[in-house]
Amino acid sequence: MPAQLPVGVRGFIGRDAELARLLAILDEAHGESPAVVISAVSGMAGVGKTALAVHWARRIEGEFPDGRLYVNLRGFDPRGSTVTPTEAVRGFLAAFGVRPEHIPPGLDAQVALYQDLLAGRRVLVVLDNAWDERQVRPLLPAAPGCMALVTSRNRLAGLAATDGAHLLSVDVLGPDAAMGVLAERIGADRLTAEPDAAREIVAHCAGLPLALAVVAARAAGSPHRPLSTLARELREERNRLDALDAGEVAAQVRAVLSWSYRALSPGAARLFRLLGLHPGPDTGLAAVAALAGLPPSDTRELLSELTRGHLLSEHSAARYTFHDLLRVYAGELVAERDAEPVRRAALHRMLDHYLHTARAADVLVTPQPNPIDLPAARPGAGAEDPADYDRALAWSAAERAVLVENVRQAPKGFEAHVWRLTTVVTTYLDRNGYWQALEELGRRAMAAARLEHDRAGQAGAHRTLGLALDRLRQPEAAHEHYARALELYAALGDEAGQARTCQHLARLSGTRGDRRQALEHARRSLRHYRAAGDRAGQSAALNHMGWQLAHLGEHHRALTHCEQALALAAASEDFNGLAHTWDSLGYIHRLLGHDREAVDCYRQAAELFHATGERNHEARCLTRLGDCYDSTHQPVRARDTWTRALLITDELGLPEHRSLRREIRQRLLR
């Protein structure tokens, strides 16, 4: 399992006492028992809690050989977009490699799966920026040998009372430690040459590492400028501004930020303000360029100026984020200094960028793209065009949280963006198991489309809601939304929309055991896909019809349908569809007693499942392939194939594979 900690902390000094305490907690835990250890680190904004936690986690990573999990819970996000326990545990399950179709609905079941996956492992879980104990508790590991490290601005005393947490408060740096931070960043010689100015700068920074980093960046950028000049500018600026938050310390931080902002070039200052419009939690270069309405090359230079001044962080390659205090400050500045038409134009470009890029990614991620027409993007939106499936998937994964926040936070007047963006992210969220988020976005899309009196938007919102509720195992409610979507799509003459909705209804009926009804929905789906000219969709419908016919005992008809599906999937280069169709053909040939044909089909399905990364389907397909080898008197190949299937299930470690593992072991012991 890969580490998921943020990037490293440069020049971490001044926290020796806190580091020693954290190490003592770990040593104490080793000496007591293999029980779970929970440490909660609290302190005010900008005091360095995250830096301390990440630095310490890297120092002791050898103690947790099975990996590190990290999530920023955004408990104090200025826009209120905190990460829910459901979203956080979903991310942890993804880190363990759990396929979306194997994630159970409901937080309790997901937490149970998460705890099962931690069992027998030594994992460090870092829960950063928590609001309260309720946000944290579902994410705390229960497996002996694991550890949770929690950071929060609040002192989470409840974790100590009920969960045995060790509490540690992080205070501001003392004058000597703060001076050490400055010395490390700008050189001790400059401090020695102007001790009074250095002490005044340290006093204005109020002992906050964030403020010290901003000031040090300004001083380092002007190596020949006297520190006394910098101290005087900071002293004058301090009295002009109100506090970001209650308290004199925060007022001093506000002055530091304002002082650094005023030193920016006009272009960088404008970009800093406009970034206050971005919903977060982070952003890529292309989206920033769209927000600013500038070419990416010019935007990159301005971003470099902001990162050099520590007003923005590049937490990974070409992805940028704010500290919460800086996000608040940028938001205030853009509201005060940029006219509403300027702000709305920037928002429009940014939303167009995400909408059109998400649409392009959706077309590549599924050969059956969601049915939607888009108006032209505004000039400067700079929509990206992912080159292939892998790049589209990578873009969707990187921007998933941003896309959700754009829907959540879109201001009035952008209702069309809300329902259109929801439509084009539906497939990605569904395939990757973000069903609670999908339900929320579906309801927001419905409200937006109704406000716009847009029937196409309402149809798409009903389909999205039906899909989310279907996955969350609310079949009656799902069916109602599917039925309403079908009515609206029919009234609009939208063949693609009707085809997708009938496809969903077919799956829902099949899951409920109504094979005849599922077959009829799949047949209707095929008619609509043909009318829409969608070959990949026709392939999916034919394969579904073949699968249902096989379960109804009509094996020869099933074979015909799946062979037609295979040809269409190949013609449309739908590799996922090819894998599932070969698997269906293997099942049908086995039912017909065609063991050699079944072997060929299952072999090709297993290869394609492996190529597309569907390890769970690969394991099950290999198990059936081994059975076919066994039936055709090829015991060595059968054992080798079953062994490969067993290795995959052991590697995945999913609780739902326990029965499959037992079945495979029984085969191997024969």
Side-chain angles (χ1 to χ4, degrees):
M1 181 175 58
Q4 296 194 23
L5 293 174
V7 293
V9 182
R10 176 185 174 277
F12 193 91
I13 61 173
R15 292 299 188 202
D16 293 341
E18 290 93 339
L19 280 170
R21 175 60 182 143
L22 282 170
L23 288 170
I25 289 171
L26 184 62
D27 291 340
E28 181 183 352
H30 280 311
E32 290 176 351
S33 70
V36 175
V37 181
I38 304 168
S39 291
V41 179
S42 60
M44 68 171 292
V47 81
K49 302 179 296 297
T50 298
L52 174 66
V54 171
H55 184 76
W56 176 81
R58 287 210 163 104
R59 283 186 59 173
I60 52 84
E61 63 183 0
E63 300 286 341
F64 301 96
D66 295 311
R68 285 81 56 199
L69 293 171
Y70 172 88
V71 62
N72 181 356
L73 295 171
R74 302 176 70 190
F76 297 86
D77 188 286
R79 300 174 190 264
S81 298
T82 59
V83 175
T84 66
T86 298
E87 292 171 314
V89 78
R90 174 63 190 81
F92 286 170
L93 292 176
F96 276 110
V98 180
R99 295 287 300 178
E101 63 267 27
H102 302 297
I103 296 176
L107 178 60
D108 291 344
Q110 291 173 4
V111 169
L113 176 57
Y114 163 61
Q115 297 295 352
D116 277 344
L117 292 169
L118 288 174
R121 289 182 163 114
R122 292 185 59 82
V123 176
L124 174 65
V125 181
V126 180
L127 307 173
D128 192 20
N129 201 13
W131 172 257
D132 60 12
E133 293 87 345
R134 288 178 299 176
Q135 191 183 19
V136 165
R137 281 200 177 96
L139 308 175
L140 297 176
C146 293
M147 181 172 186
L149 182 59
V150 186
T151 74
S152 177
R153 295 185 198 175
N154 295 325
R155 185 171 175 82
L156 304 179
L159 292 183
T162 62
D163 300 276
H166 302 262
L167 301 182
L168 176 67
S169 295
V170 178
D171 203 351
V172 296
L173 294 174
D176 291 341
M179 199 71 77
V181 171
L182 276 185
E184 187 216 14
R185 291 177 179 269
I186 68 174
D189 291 346
R190 292 183 72 181
L191 304 187
T192 302
E194 297 184 80
D196 292 340
R199 281 192 290 270
E200 183 177 358
I201 289 172
V202 164
H204 286 312
C205 289
L208 279 181
L210 172 65
L212 287 163
V214 171
V215 171
R218 175 91 186 277
S222 305
H224 303 297
R225 197 175 193 183
L227 293 183
S228 59
T229 302
L230 301 179
R232 183 178 65 254
E233 291 177 3
L234 183 56
R235 183 192 321 135
E236 292 170 354
E237 187 64 40
R238 178 177 171 230
N239 295 322
R240 297 178 186 171
L241 299 164
D242 298 328
L244 279 171
D245 199 352
E248 181 63 18
V249 170
Q252 291 170 312
V253 175
R254 173 72 172 276
V256 169
L257 300 184
S258 172
W259 176 65
S260 190
Y261 165 78
R262 287 173 178 266
L264 294 171
S265 66
R270 173 180 175 270
L271 181 60
F272 179 78
R273 296 194 307 272
L274 291 177
L275 282 167
L277 300 172
H278 192 279
D282 64 355
T283 182
L285 170 64
V288 179
L291 190 65
L294 295 172
S297 57
D298 295 346
T299 306
R300 187 181 291 107
E301 291 181 9
L302 298 176
L303 286 168
S304 295
E305 183 178 346
L306 293 176
T307 56
R308 286 195 302 271
H310 285 264
L311 293 174
L312 200 66
S313 299
E314 187 175 6
H315 71 85
S316 62
R319 291 203 71 80
Y320 302 87
T321 189
F322 274 133
H323 186 282
D324 285 353
L325 291 179
L326 288 162
R327 187 180 297 279
V328 171
Y329 183 48
E332 290 182 352
L333 285 176
V334 74
E336 293 170 0
R337 305 189 183 188
D338 294 278
E340 183 179 0
V342 173
R343 299 196 304 270
R344 294 192 72 82
L347 280 168
H348 205 138
R349 288 192 302 270
M350 180 191 73
L351 288 169
D352 274 1
H353 169 83
Y354 283 119
L355 175 59
H356 284 263
T357 307
R359 166 62 172 169
D362 184 50
V363 170
L364 286 169
V365 166
T366 172
Q368 306 155 244
N370 288 295
I372 185 172
D373 293 320
L374 298 183
R378 281 206 167 189
E384 299 175 82
D385 190 10
D388 52 34
Y389 176 91
D390 289 338
R391 288 182 175 86
L393 204 59
W395 183 89
S396 299
E399 303 291 357
R400 189 264 313 167
V402 181
L403 296 170
V404 170
E405 289 304 320
N406 270 309
V407 173
R408 285 173 172 165
Q409 299 183 32
K412 289 182 178 179
F414 290 98
E415 287 78 12
H417 283 84
V418 168
W419 71 257
R420 288 189 173 113
L421 194 53
T422 296
T423 299
V424 297
V425 301
T426 290
T427 294
Y428 180 82
L429 294 178
D430 172 47
R431 285 190 177 180
N432 290 275
Y434 292 102
W435 300 312
Q436 285 83 6
L438 190 61
E439 181 187 3
E440 178 192 349
L441 265 58
R443 298 196 186 283
R444 291 180 181 273
M446 182 67 70
R450 284 175 174 166
L451 195 63
E452 291 270 291
H453 304 290
D454 193 305
R455 290 194 299 167
Q458 292 174 50
H462 277 297
R463 190 179 70 83
T464 295
L465 275 170
L467 187 56
L469 295 168
D470 187 353
R471 301 301 197 192
L472 293 170
R473 298 182 186 174
Q474 300 179 44
E476 298 301 330
H479 189 276
E480 289 179 10
H481 283 289
Y482 285 151
R484 183 58 182 142
L486 203 56
E487 290 175 8
L488 287 166
Y489 281 132
L492 293 165
D494 188 333
E495 298 289 353
Q498 292 177 81
R500 290 296 293 271
T501 307
C502 286
Q503 187 176 340
H504 297 331
L505 283 164
R507 187 185 61 246
L508 177 62
S509 296
T511 302
R512 299 168 76 176
D514 192 341
R515 301 290 180 183
R516 291 290 178 192
Q517 186 66 55
L519 181 61
E520 178 56 31
H521 285 308
R523 188 176 287 116
R524 293 176 64 192
S525 175
L526 177 62
R527 286 201 304 270
H528 291 302
Y529 275 129
R530 282 174 172 163
D534 185 340
R535 291 189 298 178
Q538 293 171 52
S539 172
L542 284 164
N543 183 48
H544 200 105
M545 291 173 68
W547 184 255
Q548 299 303 335
L549 286 166
H551 282 82
L552 289 167
E554 299 184 45
H555 302 150
H556 290 285
R557 289 185 64 202
L559 189 63
T560 299
H561 282 78
C562 288
E563 286 173 343
Q564 293 173 0
L566 192 70
L568 286 167
S572 57
E573 297 184 345
D574 181 4
F575 298 110
N576 180 269
L578 280 169
H580 285 280
T581 305
W582 278 119
D583 190 55
S584 296
L585 284 166
Y587 177 74
I588 296 166
H589 278 298
R590 189 83 195 282
L591 291 175
L592 288 167
H594 304 160
D595 287 335
R596 294 190 184 279
E597 290 85 349
V599 164
D600 290 338
C601 294
Y602 279 137
R603 186 190 297 124
Q604 296 195 65
E607 290 174 357
L608 284 164
F609 282 135
H610 182 80
T612 57
E614 295 193 58
R615 304 299 307 284
N616 174 67
H617 287 298
E618 182 186 1
R620 296 184 184 278
C621 184
L622 286 170
T623 303
R624 295 189 287 269
L625 176 58
D627 292 344
C628 288
Y629 281 134
D630 189 51
S631 298
T632 54
H633 309 293
Q634 302 179 69
V636 175
R637 286 186 173 178
R639 292 183 65 82
D640 287 347
T641 306
W642 286 329
T643 300
R644 286 166 58 197
L646 185 63
L647 288 172
I648 293 173
T649 60
D650 286 343
E651 181 183 334
L652 294 176
L654 297 175
E656 64 200 65
H657 281 167
R658 288 170 184 160
S659 61
L660 179 60
R661 285 196 292 271
R662 282 196 301 270
E663 293 173 13
I664 298 172
R665 289 193 181 102
Q666 287 170 2
R667 289 167 167 81
L668 290 168
L669 290 172
R670 289 200 306 233

